[in-house]
Amino acid sequence: MRIPSVLRLHRRPFPTRLVPPVRAMFETVAPHTTGPLRPVFASIGVTGRLLAKVFPRLGPELNALVRTTAVVTELAGAAGANVLATSARASVNVRLLPGDTAASAAARIRRVIADRHVEVEVASASEPSPVSPWTGPAWDRLVAATASALGEDVLPTPYIQLGASDSRWFTAISDHVYRFTPFHLTRGEREALHSHNERIRVGSWLRGIEFYRDLLRAG
């Protein structure tokens, strides 16, 4: 029996790896971590490969930090309930990890599907944005605004924004384009993003606005 193409994609996800901003994130939090994780994060140069393999098992957020993701979001077949389908279509939403390209992702998807009856077409694509530096005056202003609006106990770290934003269009005019979400979200609120009952608490929303106010003043 032939394995469905969408199932092949699910069974063979993209390989894992630690990209520089994620590695820097764990190096930054290591001195502030307690227990057995502190030496693990502090030795990320040695433990990085193992962590990259473990993270996907700990949830979708950590999974998206260490690999390009491909998720089937739409399925279509027959035009009606009493009509036999002559073809089927699946939409695959791909989020590229820095270092991967739209072309390399499409090529891998074709290799994984490996079915001459299935055509893979790139409907639209944009490459990963350049990684902005996490040192220098622009970064320092972010750090200062974080302390002012969110408190000294909040630690700014390099990170990869897991969702695309319009900020990618500004990379053509600046090397310092930062995606920052200054909102404290519960796990339930994060899981509801782009889903049913998407929400945020009023207090968290207002505190995030204070961050942007302080950032503008610092600039």
Side-chain angles (χ1 to χ4, degrees), residues 12-107:
R12 292 184 58 189
F14 282 75
T16 60
R17 56 190 169 85
L18 280 186
V19 294
V22 175
R23 187 181 299 272
M25 178 181 71
F26 287 105
E27 290 173 342
T28 301
V29 303
H32 306 273
T33 306
T34 58
L37 287 179
R38 181 168 185 168
V40 173
F41 292 164
S43 306
I44 196 74
V46 177
T47 61
R49 286 189 177 183
L50 177 60
L51 288 176
K53 294 183 180 300
V54 172
F55 283 166
R57 303 179 184 181
L58 302 180
E61 289 174 300
L62 286 174
N63 177 56
L65 282 180
V66 295
R67 64 156 47 110
T68 288
T69 57
V71 179
V72 176
T73 55
E74 292 180 314
L75 293 171
N82 62 339
V83 179
L84 293 177
T86 58
S87 64
R89 184 180 74 252
S91 296
V92 181
N93 186 275
V94 177
R95 191 206 65 93
L96 296 168
L97 195 67
D100 287 343
T101 66
S104 67

